Amino acid sequence: MAYRSRIVETVQYGKLPEYLAAIKELKGLAEKAGRVTPRVMTPVAGPCNQVILEFEFSDLAAFDDQIGNFWSDPAALRVWRSKADATVQGASYSELL
């Protein structure tokens, strides 16, 4: 069974370029580390300024391995935290489908 993990974030008006630059850097770090890279999407309808990062995993073990690898990567964590200034605090959430 395949799984999708989504992170949905609301980006502050005017800060989308800054946010997307951080995501581009994160994707590069993920590729170098052999991690899954996300699809970056925005909703066609619904809340404005949302960005959806969607990852696909073959099973829950792969999801767990990838998450552990990410949280132990200091460079990825630095970039992940750097985008906080571009997001609306408290408006982000994750899903595992």
Side-chain angles (χ1 to χ4, degrees), residues 14-96:
K15 297 208 174 178
L16 186 60
E18 174 185 331
Y19 178 89
L20 291 176
I23 296 303
K24 182 177 180 179
E25 188 174 352
L26 281 168
K27 287 176 78 170
L29 290 169
E31 287 175 357
K32 286 180 186 174
R35 287 190 299 269
V36 174
T37 58
R39 274 188 297 279
V40 181
M41 304 177 288
T42 58
V44 173
C48 297
N49 284 5
Q50 277 192 338
V51 176
I52 302 165
L53 306 175
E54 186 175 83
F55 304 82
E56 288 192 13
F57 302 97
S58 57
D59 53 38
L60 289 176
F63 171 76
D64 188 54
D65 288 345
Q66 294 279 314
I67 295 298
N69 183 291
F70 173 80
W71 288 112
S72 65
D73 183 339
L77 292 178
R78 178 188 53 76
V79 178
W80 182 259
R81 292 178 182 128
S82 76
K83 69 180 184 48
D85 290 337
T87 61
V88 175
Q89 301 302 304
S92 300
Y93 63 93
S94 62
E95 301 174 325
L96 184 60

